[in-house]
Amino acid sequence: MRFCEVCFNVAEAQRCRVCLDPRRDDHAICVVEEPKDVIAIERTREFRGRYHVLGGAISPIDGIGPGDIRVRELLARLGDGAVTEVI
């Protein structure tokens, strides 16, 4: 097991099953805290877009800032303008 090179969800290969699915909507990204959140949303079978797993939450009390989670990677994914909706 490893993290997907695109969305940082858990994966068996370089990319997770969501990132490999060509039927997914590339224009919508759902930002979640942990991979378990992806599983919970997938169980609803309502969201057909892509995901971005931050790997934690900002917590100034615990000394966790934006540089400690995958915010830079999210901004890089949004940089090309293909994504029109961030949830």
Side-chain angles (χ1 to χ4, degrees):
M1 295 301 274
R2 61 175 67 176
F3 290 112
C4 175
E5 67 183 4
V6 176
C7 73
F8 304 99
N9 189 14
V10 290
E12 293 179 4
Q14 287 184 322
R15 293 192 177 195
C16 71
R17 65 175 182 78
V18 175
C19 287
L20 290 173
D21 187 347
R23 298 170 296 177
R24 293 286 181 153
D25 180 4
D26 292 328
H27 299 101
I29 291 182
C30 180
V31 180
V32 297
E33 186 177 341
E34 299 291 341
K36 66 181 179 177
D37 301 321
V38 173
I39 294 167
I41 294 170
E42 284 296 290
R43 283 187 183 147
T44 68
R45 297 183 183 202
E46 294 293 322
F47 182 68
R48 299 303 305 154
R50 306 282 180 181
Y51 293 96
H52 186 84
V53 180
L54 292 172
I58 294 173
S59 176
I61 293 173
D62 296 322
I64 300 171
D68 300 312
I69 59 176
R70 296 184 185 103
V71 173
R72 279 188 301 273
E73 292 86 346
L74 174 61
L75 294 175
R77 289 180 72 186
L78 300 174
D80 67 0
V83 176
T84 57
E85 182 177 13
V86 177
I87 302 169

